[in-house]
Amino acid sequence: MLDRADSLPAESRKQQLATVMADPQLSRVLQRIDKMKSQHIATYGHIVVHVKRVQLTTSGATLYDCQDSRDSGLLNSATGKKLSRGVSHGNTKALMVKGSDGQWRVSKFITIGDGC
């Protein structure tokens, strides 16, 4: 959902993102979207996830992923000009927490670097 978060309707964006994210990640994403919109920046494309490993901890879980984001990135929403493009092997990890409703949500997303 992150690769289309900025295109969600403003009035329901927080509620929709809260189904897959928890704070502090949720607040960070909402703040980033506001900043991007004020600078006429939007996302494009789609990120393909390749979960490599999930490690359970006492406080949640850590998910390790090798994302393919080469067909996504940032663009100028006024001109349509692409500003950046992702990579084919983006090494990432997500810290997950289980909500009171039993659903897992991302509480922190960390880009480790290029190459998995």
Side-chain angles (χ1 to χ4, degrees):
M1 185 177 282
L2 188 57
D3 56 5
R4 62 184 178 90
D6 63 322
S7 64
L8 296 171
E11 61 276 1
S12 63
R13 183 178 298 134
K14 183 176 182 177
Q15 180 182 0
Q16 288 186 59
L17 292 175
T19 65
V20 294
M21 292 178 205
D23 278 325
Q25 186 67 25
L26 177 59
S27 293
R28 285 186 191 130
V29 168
L30 292 170
Q31 289 169 2
R32 176 74 173 139
I33 291 169
D34 288 344
K35 183 176 181 182
M36 286 171 46
K37 287 196 176 287
S38 73
Q39 297 172 339
H40 303 288
I41 296 174
T43 58
Y44 72 89
H46 181 69
I47 297 170
V48 179
V49 247
H50 300 286
V51 176
K52 297 298 181 188
R53 178 175 54 137
V54 176
Q55 179 181 6
L56 293 175
T57 66
T58 56
S59 59
T62 303
L63 183 140
Y64 296 88
D65 187 25
C66 184
Q67 295 184 346
D68 181 352
S69 62
R70 64 185 153 186
D71 292 327
S72 66
L74 300 176
L75 58 78
N76 181 307
S77 59
T79 66
K81 181 180 177 184
K82 292 180 179 177
L83 305 172
S84 70
R85 188 175 74 140
V87 297
S88 60
H89 294 90
N91 196 7
T92 62
K93 74 177 179 178
L95 305 181
M96 311 288 291
V97 293
K98 197 170 194 178
S100 59
D101 60 359
Q103 295 296 311
W104 287 95
R105 292 176 175 83
V106 176
S107 63
K108 187 172 185 181
F109 182 83
I110 302 160
T111 301
I112 300 169
D114 191 12
C116 309

